[in-house]
Amino acid sequence: MKHTKRDITLALAGVFQAASLVKQIANTGMANTAIIESSLETLFKFDAPTVEDVYGGIAGVGHGIRTLNKQLSTSREQRDIEITRYVISMLVLEKKLSANKAMLNQIANTLDEIKAGLEYFSLMHENTLLKIGQLYKDTVSHLTPRIIVSGEQPYLSNENNASRVRALLLAGLRSAILWRQCGGSRWMILFNRKSYLTESTLLLREL
């Protein structure tokens, strides 16, 4: 299937959404629950027929579209360096993860088990978040370079926050894989910024 610029932009917005949520939780201990849930739902939608369906419609990645658009439309000095760092880290790790078929299989199998458990615990239940966070810890956290999350220590040391952060990083990687599958590349971000800005502006009008 040939993917459009809209598809590529939506997938990249998914990475930005996860990065923004990670920053919020690490620095304040809080983030919009509905937006977190939208990001985490993508972990269980590997058979979605379209990119838009992965996010349950563009509203599911609306926060990411706004974040991406803001990062691209502001000057270098005004951009959020922390969000940029998380995005770049996830795009780098995605390449290593995609090359590790055994780890991908482990993640897919465990997500299947977690999905079966959603019959008893909701996606945002601390038990589910703990399992997704543990999956990240058992797999992706062993890849290098590791994603170092910075923030306020009281929030970072809270186990529930740590689980949410790890789960969101895994969701960000899921979007990064999708972005690569759609034809995205880091060179495109460097040299095609205007194209991403134009597409994200068009998407904003649909929100």
Side-chain angles (χ1 to χ4, degrees):
M1 180 190 295
K2 182 174 173 58
H3 291 286
T4 63
K5 192 66 183 180
R6 176 189 175 95
D7 289 338
I8 298 173
T9 305
L10 281 172
L12 185 60
V15 184
F16 272 85
Q17 180 159 297
S20 175
L21 292 168
V22 165
K23 181 192 171 182
Q24 288 176 39
I25 293 169
N27 286 281
T28 69
M30 295 182 295
N32 185 295
T33 301
I35 300 174
I36 295 173
E37 190 166 11
S38 289
S39 283
L40 298 187
E41 282 174 348
T42 65
L43 291 170
F44 305 97
K45 292 183 178 177
F46 283 102
D47 296 321
T50 68
V51 172
E52 201 165 314
D53 287 331
V54 170
Y55 300 103
I58 68 167
V61 73
H63 177 71
I65 295 168
R66 293 185 184 94
T67 305
L68 170 62
N69 187 267
K70 185 177 180 182
Q71 289 283 92
L72 293 177
S73 60
T74 55
S75 66
R76 187 182 295 272
E77 295 74 26
Q78 293 175 307
R79 285 176 209 147
D80 191 314
I81 302 302
E82 214 166 334
I83 289 176
T84 300
R85 180 170 64 82
Y86 292 144
V87 168
I88 291 172
S89 295
M90 283 188 271
L91 296 183
V92 169
L93 275 188
E94 176 277 324
K95 208 166 185 181
K96 295 199 172 184
L97 176 58
S98 292
N100 192 327
K101 301 307 177 188
M103 188 175 285
L104 282 174
N105 286 335
Q106 182 182 351
I107 291 171
N109 291 336
T110 306
L111 286 175
D112 277 341
E113 293 171 10
I114 294 171
K115 187 175 184 178
L118 293 177
E119 192 176 328
Y120 308 100
F121 296 104
S122 70
L123 181 54
M124 294 305 293
H125 190 280
E126 62 180 36
N127 184 63
T128 308
L129 292 170
L130 184 64
K131 285 181 179 178
I132 301 174
Q134 188 62 46
L135 173 58
Y136 178 90
K137 203 173 176 182
D138 292 341
T139 55
V140 179
S141 70
H142 294 289
L143 298 175
T144 55
R146 294 181 67 182
I147 300 177
I148 305 300
V149 176
S150 54
E152 298 296 323
Q153 198 53 45
Y155 303 126
L156 291 171
S157 58
N158 178 285
E159 190 53 46
N160 188 43
N161 286 338
S163 293
R164 288 192 295 166
V165 163
R166 292 182 188 120
L168 284 165
L169 289 173
L170 194 60
L173 283 164
R174 191 270 184 269
S175 282
I177 289 172
L178 181 62
W179 173 72
R180 179 85 61 182
Q181 290 170 338
C182 287
S185 71
R186 278 178 281 164
W187 289 109
M188 285 178 66
I189 297 178
L190 286 172
F191 299 112
N192 244 350
R193 294 177 65 87
K194 190 173 180 182
S195 176
Y196 277 116
L197 178 59
T198 299
E199 200 61 46
S200 60
T201 300
L202 290 172
L203 286 164
L204 282 177
R205 294 174 188 167
E206 297 181 41
L207 292 172

